[in-house]
Amino acid sequence: HTMVTYTRCMDSILCVPLMIDAAIWCDYFVNRSVSAGDAARATAYLFKVPEGEAKGVDPGFFHQMKELEDVLKNTSGAEKEEDMIALGVSKGIITEEQAAALRGLA
């Protein structure tokens, strides 16, 4: 998926956490072959004016969060918790020691 967005406000530094969230969600959706339309609807809460296939999503925050939840429920290839830990290790996100500590929490 390709997401193009920009900001023209003086306090644009405040949008950085939202942009990071958008990038993380887009990566998640791409890795699980979620359609562009579903990804747009799921991330609509991150944008002041949702565009593309997210147009028409109820502007209320809770309605937009419901869209995200619905897309996550329908995501194909949902991994088990253990698989997610192994994926984090394989991608270098967490170390083996951190993985062992996470496994110990269960």
Side-chain angles (χ1 to χ4, degrees):
H1 304 299
T2 300
M3 179 178 284
V4 178
T5 185
Y6 66 93
T7 181
R8 295 182 296 165
C9 59
M10 295 298 290
D11 58 352
S12 60
I13 192 68
L14 298 175
C15 75
V16 171
L18 295 175
M19 298 304 290
I20 291 170
D21 284 352
I24 290 169
W25 279 124
C26 287
D27 181 61
Y28 176 87
F29 293 138
V30 165
N31 288 326
R32 282 148 188 88
S33 301
V34 173
S35 73
D38 285 345
R41 285 188 293 280
T43 57
Y45 76 97
L46 295 168
F47 301 96
K48 191 173 196 174
V49 181
E51 297 186 8
E53 292 192 45
K55 282 184 181 177
V57 172
D58 189 309
F61 179 77
F62 294 105
H63 294 280
Q64 291 177 343
M65 291 307 294
K66 178 76 170 106
E67 289 281 343
L68 173 61
E69 290 171 5
D70 290 345
V71 170
L72 291 174
K73 284 179 188 174
N74 295 326
T75 300
S76 62
E79 293 95 359
K80 296 177 186 170
E81 189 173 310
E82 180 59 33
D83 293 339
M84 292 299 290
I85 293 172
L87 180 65
V89 172
S90 70
K91 292 197 175 223
I93 298 169
I94 61 173
T95 65
E96 286 289 346
E97 294 79 24
Q98 292 168 322
L102 287 171
R103 290 181 188 110
L105 293 174

